[in-house]
């Protein structure tokens, strides 16, 4: 099984590269490039595991979604990104922020799942007549 596993791993290609992340975000340090490479592999696997119709999506869509997932993950701790709610009070100097991904999870949004075909309603036809005239 170990040798078979290696063959599978060697054939695995993520949907995007760290260069794709850089094009959509900013230049990465060497450490960030290494992290992004591993996270893109994880994001690719999450897409494949979560959305059975992923193979119908274009390469550009797959790369875009994988990069978005990685950018969300790598943005944790960046005070400018991921804030969904902010409050400030001048008297007594109070601030409050709510982050969209406080734990730094790698996940697909509902919109991304929809782009990958998950959850779409499918039309079908059922002949109830029994095939007669």
């Amino acid at each position: 099984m170990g040798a078979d596993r290696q063959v599978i791993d060697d054939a695995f290609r993520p949907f995007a590269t760290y260069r794709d992340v850089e094009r959509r975000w900013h230049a990465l340090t060497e450490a960030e490039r290494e992290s992004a490479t591993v996270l893109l592999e994880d994001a690719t696997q999450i897409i494949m595991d979560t959305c059975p119709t992923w193979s119908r999506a274009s390469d550009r869509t797959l790369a875009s979604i994988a990069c978005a997932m990685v950018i969300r993950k790598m943005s944790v701790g960046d005070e400018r990104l991921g804030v969904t709610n902010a409050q400030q009070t001048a008297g007594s100097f109070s601030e409050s922020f709510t982050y969209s991904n406080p734990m730094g999870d790698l996940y697909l949004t509902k919109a991304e799942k929809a782009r990958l075909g998950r959850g779409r309603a499918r039309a079908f036809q059922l002949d109830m007549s029994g095939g007669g005239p």
Side-chain angles (χ1 to χ4, degrees):
M1 170 121 177
D4 292 337
R5 182 67 168 189
Q6 186 63 35
V7 170
I8 293 169
D9 290 345
D10 288 345
F12 180 82
R13 297 285 180 256
F15 295 142
T17 68
Y18 72 82
R19 287 183 184 93
D20 295 313
V21 173
E22 287 182 323
R23 282 188 217 114
R24 289 167 172 82
W25 195 25
H26 65 76
L28 303 175
T29 65
E30 188 59 37
E32 288 174 326
R33 287 177 177 178
E34 290 177 24
S35 180
T37 298
V38 172
L39 291 171
L40 286 164
E41 292 171 357
D42 294 345
T44 296
Q45 193 63 55
I46 289 170
I47 291 168
M48 293 168 66
D49 291 346
T50 306
C51 301
T53 59
W54 67 267
S55 61
R56 295 181 192 158
S58 70
D59 290 344
R60 185 174 177 89
T61 295
L62 294 169
S64 171
I65 292 172
C67 287
M69 293 170 69
V70 169
I71 291 168
R72 272 195 300 274
K73 168 84 172 161
M74 293 180 73
S75 296
V76 172
D78 186 338
E79 295 173 12
R80 298 165 292 157
L81 297 173
V83 175
T84 59
N85 186 23
Q87 296 177 354
Q88 293 182 339
T89 306
S92 302
F93 303 101
S94 177
E95 281 188 324
S96 175
F97 298 95
T98 303
Y99 291 90
S100 61
N101 191 15
M103 300 304 291
D105 295 329
L106 200 57
Y107 65 92
L108 287 161
T109 65
K110 285 182 183 180
E112 290 164 346
K113 288 177 185 176
R115 287 177 66 195
L116 293 166
R118 184 159 180 235
R120 285 189 190 151
R122 291 181 179 84
F124 65 93
Q125 179 179 354
L126 181 61
D127 183 2
M128 300 292 286
S129 68

